[in-house]
Amino acid sequence: MERDREAVAFCPGHISGWFKPVFIAAEGLPGSVGGGIVIDRGVGSTAVPSDEIKVTCLYTGSDGSVLKTVEGSSPVEHALKTAGITGEIVTRSDLPPESGFGLSGAAIVSSLAAASRVTGTRLSKEQIFRIAYETEVSLRTGLGDVPAIAGGGYVCRRSPGLKGEIIRRYDMEQPIFVLNFGPLPTAGVLGEENAVKRIEDAYSGSCPGSPEEFFRTAGEFSERSGFVTPEVCDVLSACASGKIPAFMTMLGNGVAAYGSRAFAVFRDFGTPEEMHMSKTGFTGDGGDKK
Ligand SMILES: Nc1ncnc2c1ncn2[C@@H]1O[C@H](COP(=O)(O)OP(=O)(O)O)[C@@H](O)[C@H]1O
Ligand SMILES: CC(C)(COP(=O)(O)O)[C@@H](O)C(=O)O
């Protein structure tokens, strides 16, 4: 079987605006329903052949310079073991982990895609999504991110899981700005009974028909969720005063706002990250060196 010397793959991230954990009885797995935006920034992975699994995570600035190196990633290692493949993986992301960008899911998907090509295993996109989904829900690092990033757009997931009903709309054309105030690990929040109860109470099942409606629905969920931190509250208030659509990123200690006017408001509170809606989600495309 032909193997590549090095393979790379990229997977977009996903920002949840609202969600509710739902068990998928038919699959015996947890999942969630909710709404989010598939974004054009995420995780790139490079894989080279190795008999062992080794993962190094590079967190970079927007200019690509490495700010932090972390050895190991439990979600990526778990997924490679499940797939029965080995490889030396380097992940690269210019967004922070544990901040509501769905990067655990993106790191698993891009790493499985790259590693499967260097080992010659050639997993299909569907196999990659299935392993990524099962890894995420078993480690509680995500519930709905993998179904969302399997396509593009801003999404309304009406039923849970990879086979769930997902409505995708693509008319979110303006830039999205995100301000982040630090980590909020997903597994910790999902393990708190009170937090899950608050999420269930805050959830409304409506699917938005426009970007403005999306940000309004997400903003209402932020208010009702009880997750809003003092920093997030200040930014949301400033956005409301300026009539800028905004919501708290789930699950991260941050705010996402719509349109270029958000930049000036955010700049008073920190360094905003600019991103756009991804039209495609994960495509499986990537360069290989033979
Ligand atoms: N770029 C990355 N490369 C490898 N693993 C990552 C990356 N980003 C996140 N992870 C893994 O996912 C875990 C965080 O999961 P979670 O709290 O769900 O964050 P997120 O909101 O980014 O999905 C991290 O502790 C790390 O193990
Ligand atoms: C909100 C969350 C449970 C976690 O999202 P993240 O923090 O980005 O991993 C997501 O997977 C969802 O189901 O909507």
Side-chain angles (χ1 to χ4, degrees), residues 14 16 19 32 100-102 104 141-145 157 186 250-251:
H14 169 247
S16 288
F19 74 104
S32 74
F101 294 111
S104 46
T141 48
L143 297 173
D145 297 316
R157 296 178 298 102
T186 304
M250 297 288 155
L251 278 162

Side-chain angles (χ1 to χ4, degrees), residues 51-134:
D51 292 338
E52 285 166 46
I53 295 172
K54 182 170 184 288
V55 184
T56 305
C57 312
L58 305 181
Y59 296 101
T60 74
S62 42
D63 62 353
S65 59
V66 177
L67 304 176
K68 194 174 167 194
T69 303
V70 175
E71 293 301 337
S73 163
S74 332
V76 172
E77 288 155 20
H78 186 287
L80 288 174
K81 273 187 207 137
T82 305
I85 48 186
T86 58
E88 219 174 289
I89 312 284
V90 176
T91 72
R92 223 182 155 90
S93 176
D94 60 4
L95 291 175
E98 302 181 337
S99 301
F101 294 111
L103 298 188
S104 46
I108 299 169
V109 169
S110 58
S111 300
L112 279 174
S116 88
R117 289 210 298 269
V118 279
T119 53
T121 315
R122 307 267 163 187
L123 295 172
S124 68
K125 277 207 292 181
E126 286 61 37
Q127 287 170 312
I128 290 172
F129 294 144
R130 176 53 60 187
I131 296 167
Y133 184 75
E134 294 189 6

Side-chain angles (χ1 to χ4, degrees), residues 152-187:
Y154 60 101
V155 307
C156 182
R157 296 178 298 102
R158 290 166 73 94
S159 50
L162 288 170
K163 294 186 192 147
E165 185 193 353
I166 305 182
I167 296 169
R168 297 183 191 272
R169 293 186 57 92
Y170 301 93
D171 55 335
M172 194 173 274
E173 270 137 27
Q174 294 182 48
I176 299 151
F177 288 92
V178 181
L179 203 52
N180 183 259
F181 296 108
L184 184 59
T186 304

Side-chain angles (χ1 to χ4, degrees), residues 13 46 72 74 80 86 133 139 142 169 182 188 215 219 231 280 288 290:
T46 306
S74 332
L80 288 174
T86 58
Y133 184 75
L139 300 185
R169 293 186 57 92
F215 275 77
E231 305 99 299
T280 60
D288 297 344
K290 302 279 182 199

Side-chain angles (χ1 to χ4, degrees), residues 222-223 228 231-241 246-248 255-256:
S222 309
E223 270 177 37
V228 169
E231 305 99 299
V232 165
C233 184
D234 289 347
V235 181
L236 287 176
S237 302
C239 288
S241 305
F247 65 88
M248 178 173 178
V255 178

